[in-house]
Each structure stands twice: as structure tokens, then as C-alpha cells.
Amino acid sequence: MVRNGERQNGRVRGVAARAGGWSARHRWAAVGIWVLFVVLAMGIGNAAGRVDVKESDQLSGETGRAARIIDDAGIDEPAGETVLVQGKDGQLTATAPEFKRAVADVVKAVEGTGAVTNVRSPYGAQAQTISKDGRTALVQFDMRGDPETASDRVEPVQKAVAGVADDHGSLRIEEIGAASMNKTFDDAFGDDFQRAEYSAVPVALGILLIAFGALVAALLPVALAVTAIIATMGLMAIVSHFQPMSDTANSVMLLVGLAVGVDYCLFYLRREREERMKGHDAGTALRIAAATSGRAIIVSGVTVCVAMAGMLFTGIAEFQAMGLASLMVVAVAMVGSVTVLPALLSLLGERVEKGRLPFLHPDKRRGGTSAEGGSRFWTRVLGVVLKRPAVSVAVAVCALLAVAAPALGMKTQNLTLDQEFGDSLPIVATYDRVNAAFPGGSEPAQVIVGAADINAPAVRTAIADFRARAVSSGASRGPVEVTVHAAQNVAFIDVPLVGGSDQGKAEKSLALLRDEVRPATLGKVDGVEAPITGQVAGSKDFNDQIVGSVVPVFAFVVVFAFLLMLLSFRSLTVAITSIALNLLSVGAAYGILVAVFQHGWGASLVGAEGVGAIISWLPLFLFVILFGLSMDYHVFVVSRIKEARLQGRTNTDAIRHGVVTTAGVVTSAAVIMVAVFSIFGTLSMQSMKQMGVGLAAAVLIDATVIRGVLLPAVMALLGDRNWYLPRWLHRMPDLTHDEPPAPVPAPAAAAKGGEELRV
């Protein structure tokens, strides 16, 4: 048996050890290859350009079918805009001369911009855009040009409408529509997102400065994470020609890339520094770090990649883009951590401690560390935990289950405009006023009718019957409008839904249309397709698809994570407990989300009053992200415990050593993740708040209660059963490569030890 695994028949054991050894020997080549990779990835990506997810690719079901019919017909639906005209005192009606002058001024003003077409006055012969009480009227028009870029051209129209509003002080004159809403949201939250993304890097750097107490050591993890993100942005553009990407995928990639990129470097650097402090020379310390922390990084990285791959099973293009982007940035950060980082550390040597900060460097704060170089705080906590492991398990599990309990009543939905943005934007109030005057009119359901001959008598009769029954059934109060594209044999039927912005009531109206009205009318004509789309239908179909993908995603992530842990540690017990602890962590995060955002407990602290629901995509997204990120800490801590056990320590001593010596790096990594995720919890959009709070809470729980209390208590109770592997599994591939490191050399022999060490 080869001690410490450096050579077996002349070969270094372990991918991480081999990669680290090669990089240390060919350090300039390793750095050059990494820089070339980043530059080439970004350059080729910029040249290729990014292909974004199209609406028609977003969903399956009726919403997706409707989008494909429109795409196949080559119909570009213009971006529709609406101007609401309403008396401020509620007394002025649409028949008043002043009201009519205001409407005429709006029509003249928007036409004068040259940016609109198909302007419809509420006083037109076929118009039905005066409310039943006569106090509200709508001027409608379409934006010229590509509807996808209409928000870039809508500002002159908004200014023209605002000018009319200034001239008619007794009337409320406000614009709303796809282009104006996108423009408003981009202006309000584009800078918000950008500030959050840009502030994440300095926040991480500040925490690393405190953790390492040296400027160079703190800059290395940030530099690696940033270069990994830059390279992945280029790769995303290349891959987008096969799997379209999106801005959301880009933001998620940045979050995940910064988190894991910094974490992996932190693990590596801390171990290398620890070995130098024990008396090893820089080269020996680096080789030990490569064989131990390097291996943990690979195991963790592969596990996180597997978890992210779970999003590919949702069938939702946006999720697939997020999963693939996250998977790529984790893989790039993992490869960089075990290749270019050892090369940089080899180049720097002791200079990695340059730029020491007074009172922050470990040499200046020995009071907080134990005799083993670990945290005194966690040493004291573990003293209690390991003394009474059964009580510790019972208390921790009960506490986590109590925190997770609210998740049993979780309500998910796509948030409505007022839920997502509250009253922070005036356009939200306009949206509510349009819905109040014309229920469902601001976001009508749309029936996309496709037929071999759209003007055939049977088809025209069926469309007329559908219009009548949509109102008589109680699904709509009208007006139900039909637009026929005869050349493409397609017709659009716009149906304002009873319920308006009330998602629950609107979904009942949608169900009436889909399950009763359509089968009794359009469904009776052979060869007619009539999928129903729109905001409410899209939300319903999205929720249904998310629910349908839960089981396959859950099964894929859990099964493959279990197999990876089994292969990496060759222990059935470790694999089972890893899954169980991660599920507890995710459950607790769900409970906090529901308590804060659904029940409103402490919601005022994060500006989330009155949301009342969890956005539908978040639970599955959190499960995948958290399950992956939780493995970072778990693999790192358990690897250190097993390493100590193989050195000959008792089970209890190995647990104490593993947890105490990794407590500092786990705490630092967790603080960075919590800080970065919390930044997104401060954004104005409720969906971003929910994501930020959920991720931050889960990481905090995972790094403290799970890894600091529950994991050591469970392992103490299990004893040698921690490493149980049934005989019939002994033929599995051996991926452990984690024999104990060489004894610490005496100071006089340190130099020689650097030459003879076997890792």
C-alpha cells in the first residue's frame, strides 16, 4: 500500500493531486492556458452572439401551442398600448365636452409622434372601450416596428401622453401596455439589478480580507471567480445556438459562479496555509492541499453540476437555460481551482501573504483559535454536541422540522403585477384602474384559432358561437373582439376574463372557456385548432408544468447525488445521511419562505407585506440550487473527518478535528454566500426578494445547525458505522484517493520532507 498516495507505479493517485502537481511544475504554462481559455471563450462568444429563449419555446401545453401557431403563420403581433382617460373626481363622464377634448388630444398627440399605428378612439363606430358606468374610456394603438424592441421606442409616446395629461388637470390620463410597462420596469429595476450584481464582488472581497487578513490571498478567490464568470459568459453565447439562453440565466450564473468560485478557492487556500503553518514548506503544503482540498472540490463540483442538471428535466426553456448556465460556471470554476490556482500559489509562494492587514491576519488573532488551529467557538459547541449526541440530534431535528412546518401549506402562483411590485410604480395603479373599469381587459385571454380555411362558414359560425357563449357562460363580461388574418388562416379572439387581476377567479373563468365554451363551439369543427393563451393561461400552464416536473427533477438530483457520495466516500451511511441532511436544510428554507412571504411573519423587515404567495418557479429552483451548494460544505467537512479517521484518530476525535479545522473556512464561505444572496433580497421585485431571502436563510442554516451540530452529532452516534459499505458494493470503482497525509516534519527536516512527501 502506498502511503499518502502520491505515487503508485510512478503515477500520482487522484485527479486533483495530478492536476495540482502538473500545474505547480508547469506554473507559467498553466496560467497561460487559463488566460488563453478565458480570452478565447469570451472572444468566440462575442463573435457568435447570444441566442435568447423565444416565447414559443418557453412552455409546452396550450400556451406553447398558441405561440407556435403564431410563429408558423409568420404573424408579428404588434405591441399594443392603451391610454386610460378617467375623471379624477369620478363625476366627469365620457359624454362631457372636456372628456371628449381630452380623448381627441390624446389621439392627436400619439399620432403626431409617428411611432404608432392603428389608433382607435373610444368613440369609433365599432369601439367598445367606454366602461359601463361611462366614467372611463380607453384610447388604443399599436407601436410601429418590431414588438420585441418596442420598449426602446415608446418614450416619445409616453412624453406626448404626459403632455396631454398636464393640459387636462381634472382628468387622469395614463398610458399602459407591453412596451410602456417594459420601459418602466427596465428604468426602475435595470439599475437596481446592475448595482446588486456589481456590489456582490466588493462584498465578497471585503469578507475575504477579514478571513485571510492579507490582500493577495483575498484577491485570488475573487480573481478566479470573476475569470470563471467571464469565460462562462462566452461559453453561454456559443452554447445558446443549441440551447437558447436568457438574461435570467445570466444573473443566476453570476450568483452561482461567484459563490462556488470563491468557495473552492477558499477551501484550497485555507488548507495550503494550514499546512505551511504546521511547518511544511510551500511546495509540500501545496501538494497536500491538492490531494485533499483539491479532491473535495472535484467531488463537490461534480455533485453541484449534477444538481444543476436537474433543471434540464423541467421541459421549461428558461429553467433549462438557468441549469445549463449554472452547470457550466461550476465546471469552469472547479477546473480553475484545481489547475490555475495551484500554479498561482506556486508562483507566489510566501508572497501570498503580502498586503497583511493589521489585527486581521491569523498571526495577530490567535485568541480565537484552538490548539489544533481551529475555531475556539466551534470547539466549545462540539464539546457539548459530542458529549450528548442523542440530545443534540433530537433538539436540532425538532428545531429544523418546526422551522420547516409552514412549508406544508405552501401556496405557489405567478405573482400579479401589484404583488410583484406593490405600489412602488405608478403604472401598477394604472393597471388596477384598467382592470377595475374593464375586468380582465388589461390582460385578456386570447384564443388562437387555426384552420385550413378561416373564412369557411362552419369556422365563422363557431367563432360567433364562441363569442356569445364566452359571455353567457359567465367567463367574460365582454367585449369579446375578433381579429382575422385571412391570408394566414388564423384568427385571434380576445376575451377579458371575469376576475381580472384576481388570479384565482380569473383561472376559474379560464377553465370555463377551456373546458365548456370551447368544446361546445370551436371544438365541434373538424381541423380547427384553438389553444387559449394570455397572462392567466400562461401562469396556469407554467404552474402545471412545474408541478409535473417536480418528481423527475427530484428523483434525478437525489439519486445521482446519492451515487456520487457513495462512490466518493465508499460509505452507504455517508451517502444516506448526506441526502437526509440536505433535505432538512431545503425544508427549513421552504418554511422560512412561507412564513415570511405567504403568512407575513416579519415581512415588513424585508419589504414583503401583502404578497401572500410564493412565486411558482422558486421552490423547484431553490431545491436544485441549495441541494448543490449544500454539498460544498458537506463534502469538505466529511472529507476532513475521514482523513483524520484514516490517520488513526478515534471516531470522536476525528469528528472534532474535522469540524473544528474546517469551521473557519465553512463560516467564511457561508458568510460570503449569505451576503451575496442577501443583496438580491434587497431588490424591489418580490420574486428577487424571495430568491435572495430563501437562499441566504438556507445557507446560514446549513453552515451552522446542519454542519456544526447535526452532522457531528449523527456521526458520533453512528461511530464506525459511518463508513459501512456492504460487501456486495466493494466492487464499485474506488474514487476515494484520500489516504492520510504525511506526518508533519520537524523544523530541521522540513526542507527534506518537501522532497519526499507522498500525497
Side-chain angles (χ1 to χ4, degrees):
M1 179 175 180
V2 179
R3 297 295 296 172
N4 289 342
E6 179 176 314
R7 298 191 178 277
Q8 183 176 5
N9 298 325
R11 296 182 61 193
V12 179
R13 287 192 68 200
V15 174
R18 288 200 296 272
W22 186 92
S23 297
R25 292 191 302 274
H26 307 87
R27 48 202 185 184
W28 284 113
V31 173
I33 290 170
W34 178 257
V35 172
L36 182 63
F37 163 67
V38 174
V39 171
L40 283 177
M42 197 62 189
I44 296 172
N46 283 337
R50 195 180 80 185
V51 177
D52 282 347
V53 174
K54 294 190 299 184
E55 184 69 27
S56 57
D57 296 330
Q58 286 280 21
L59 290 171
S60 59
E62 290 201 29
T63 308
R65 289 209 320 273
R68 283 190 290 276
I69 290 173
I70 295 170
D71 276 1
D72 292 344
I75 299 171
D76 286 328
E77 284 191 276
E81 290 287 298
T82 295
V83 176
L84 174 138
V85 182
Q86 186 181 69
K88 288 182 178 178
D89 59 4
Q91 300 302 314
L92 204 61
T93 65
T95 57
E98 183 181 352
F99 200 109
K100 289 184 175 181
R101 282 196 299 273
V103 168
D105 288 348
V106 168
V107 171
K108 182 179 178 181
V110 298
E111 286 180 334
T113 64
V116 308
T117 185
N118 192 24
V119 181
R120 283 101 65 198
S121 167
Y123 302 117
Q126 302 297 321
Q128 294 180 297
T129 51
I130 296 176
S131 63
K132 288 186 177 180
D133 62 8
R135 292 183 171 87
T136 304
L138 304 179
V139 177
Q140 297 178 317
F141 53 90
D142 299 326
M143 295 294 300
R144 292 185 185 275
D146 185 353
E148 296 292 328
T149 59
S151 59
D152 299 333
R153 303 184 303 277
V154 78
E155 187 172 2
V157 183
Q158 290 177 308
K159 288 181 177 178
V161 171
V164 176
D166 291 340
D167 295 337
H168 297 273
S170 61
L171 290 163
R172 186 178 286 115
I173 301 174
E174 301 166 341
E175 183 177 351
I176 190 170
S180 53
M181 288 170 72
N182 286 339
K183 175 73 165 59
T184 301
F185 298 154
D186 287 345
D187 290 346
F189 303 114
D191 292 341
D192 204 7
F193 273 111
Q194 200 170 54
R195 281 195 302 271
E197 291 175 350
Y198 288 162
S199 61
V201 172
V203 165
L205 180 59
I207 296 168
L208 286 168
L209 281 171
I210 296 172
F212 283 114
L215 182 60
V216 174
L219 282 171
L220 278 180
V222 174
L224 184 103
V226 169
T227 53
I229 289 168
I230 291 171
T232 306
M233 288 174 66
L235 295 177
M236 284 174 65
I238 298 168
V239 172
S240 71
H241 292 270
F242 307 96
Q243 167 61 58
M245 292 292 167
S246 68
D247 288 337
T248 305
N250 204 59
S251 294
V252 171
M253 182 276 293
L254 188 146
L255 269 178
V256 173
L258 188 61
V260 299
V262 169
D263 273 12
Y264 293 163
C265 284
L266 193 58
F267 295 163
Y268 211 108
L269 275 165
R270 273 293 184 91
R271 185 58 186 265
E272 190 268 351
R273 173 185 270 183
E274 180 186 328
E275 296 303 326
R276 280 191 290 108
M277 291 172 67
K278 287 179 179 178
H280 289 302
D281 64 89
T284 301
L286 185 56
R287 287 196 292 274
I288 294 174
T292 54
S293 290
R295 175 191 168 275
I297 287 168
I298 289 179
V299 173
S300 172
V302 173
T303 308
V304 176
C305 286
V306 166
M308 301 304 175
M311 291 196 212
L312 302 177
F313 290 85
T314 60
I316 299 171
E318 191 74 63
F319 265 63
Q320 291 172 329
M322 287 192 291
L324 192 55
S326 301
L327 186 157
M328 287 191 295
V329 78
V330 171
V332 171
M334 175 183 70
V335 171
S337 298
V338 298
T339 55
V340 72
L341 182 60
L344 289 171
L345 290 174
S346 178
L347 280 168
L348 290 169
E350 295 291 339
R351 287 171 294 182
V352 76
E353 303 292 349
K354 286 283 186 182
R356 294 191 181 198
L357 303 180
F359 309 112
L360 289 180
H361 196 273
D363 290 349
K364 303 294 183 183
R365 51 181 184 189
R366 290 293 177 205
T369 59
S370 66
E372 290 186 292
S375 163
R376 288 190 183 277
F377 170 77
W378 284 109
T379 300
R380 289 194 291 270
V381 171
L382 277 173
V384 176
V385 170
L386 296 178
K387 188 176 181 180
R388 295 181 175 83
V391 174
S392 299
V393 168
V395 171
V397 169
C398 288
L400 289 171
L401 290 177
V403 173
L408 295 174
M410 182 185 290
K411 174 188 175 186
T412 61
Q413 67 177 57
N414 276 358
L415 300 182
T416 58
L417 201 63
D418 52 346
Q419 287 176 315
E420 182 72 273
F421 300 106
D423 56 3
S424 60
L425 296 177
I427 203 166
V428 176
T430 305
Y431 174 84
D432 290 337
R433 291 186 190 108
V434 172
N435 265 314
F438 303 90
S442 61
E443 292 286 356
Q446 192 171 57
V447 188
I448 310 300
V449 183
D453 181 4
I454 199 69
N455 285 317
V459 177
R460 294 176 69 88
T461 300
I463 290 174
D465 288 347
F466 182 92
R467 291 183 68 185
R469 291 204 185 202
V471 176
S472 64
S473 68
S476 175
R477 296 193 183 99
V480 178
E481 298 181 347
V482 179
T483 304
V484 177
H485 298 270
Q488 293 87 4
N489 285 311
V490 173
F492 296 168
I493 308 175
D494 291 330
V495 187
L497 295 174
V498 170
S501 58
D502 185 319
Q503 189 81 14
K505 291 180 180 178
E507 283 190 8
K508 291 180 180 177
S509 300
L510 175 68
L512 271 175
L513 291 181
R514 284 180 167 179
D515 301 337
E516 296 181 18
V517 177
R518 181 178 54 189
T521 55
L522 296 165
K524 290 185 175 181
V525 182
D526 291 338
V528 169
E529 268 193 292
I532 301 178
T533 185
Q535 189 273 330
V536 176
S539 175
K540 175 71 166 57
D541 291 348
F542 184 85
N543 268 331
D544 290 346
Q545 193 162 352
I546 284 286
V547 171
S549 63
V550 166
V551 172
V553 171
F554 182 90
F556 174 82
V557 172
V558 170
V559 169
F560 273 83
F562 173 84
L563 292 174
L564 279 170
M565 297 302 288
L566 184 64
L567 288 169
S568 300
F569 290 100
R570 291 184 67 81
S571 166
L572 185 62
T573 308
V574 167
I576 293 172
T577 54
S578 299
I579 301 301
L581 294 180
N582 277 3
L583 291 178
L584 270 175
S585 178
V586 172
Y590 284 173
I592 290 172
L593 268 180
V594 172
V596 174
F597 293 97
Q598 187 171 317
H599 299 317
W601 303 342
S604 60
L605 299 176
V606 292
E609 300 93 332
V611 179
I614 307 302
I615 189 145
S616 56
W617 55 264
L618 190 58
L620 191 62
F621 173 81
L622 278 185
F623 168 74
V624 171
I625 296 289
L626 293 177
F627 206 89
L629 294 182
S630 294
M631 284 298 182
D632 269 2
Y633 308 140
H634 193 83
V635 168
F636 193 62
V637 176
V638 175
S639 294
R640 200 63 185 269
I641 292 172
K642 187 173 184 182
E643 183 185 325
R645 191 77 178 94
L646 290 171
Q647 285 178 342
R649 293 176 184 255
T650 65
N651 185 60
T652 301
D653 284 345
I655 295 168
R656 182 181 290 108
H657 175 80
V659 174
V660 169
T661 54
T662 58
V665 66
V666 168
T667 300
S668 300
V671 169
I672 290 169
M673 280 199 191
V674 169
V676 170
F677 294 147
S678 295
I679 292 171
F680 282 79
T682 65
L683 300 185
S684 303
M685 293 175 64
Q686 292 298 323
S687 55
M688 291 297 103
K689 282 185 184 293
Q690 292 185 9
M691 184 184 78
V693 170
L695 287 169
V699 169
L700 187 61
I701 290 170
D702 195 77
T704 53
V705 180
I706 299 289
R707 309 303 159 201
V709 177
L710 197 51
L711 173 63
V714 168
M715 294 190 79
L717 282 176
L718 291 170
D720 287 337
R721 287 170 293 182
N722 282 307
W723 316 112
Y724 168 71
L725 185 71
R727 188 177 300 276
W728 57 275
L729 288 176
H730 284 188
R731 293 184 179 181
M732 286 192 314
D734 186 353
L735 302 181
T736 52
H737 306 309
D738 56 358
E739 289 123 8
V744 178
K752 183 179 179 181
E755 298 297 324
E756 300 297 329
L757 177 74
R758 291 180 170 85
V759 284

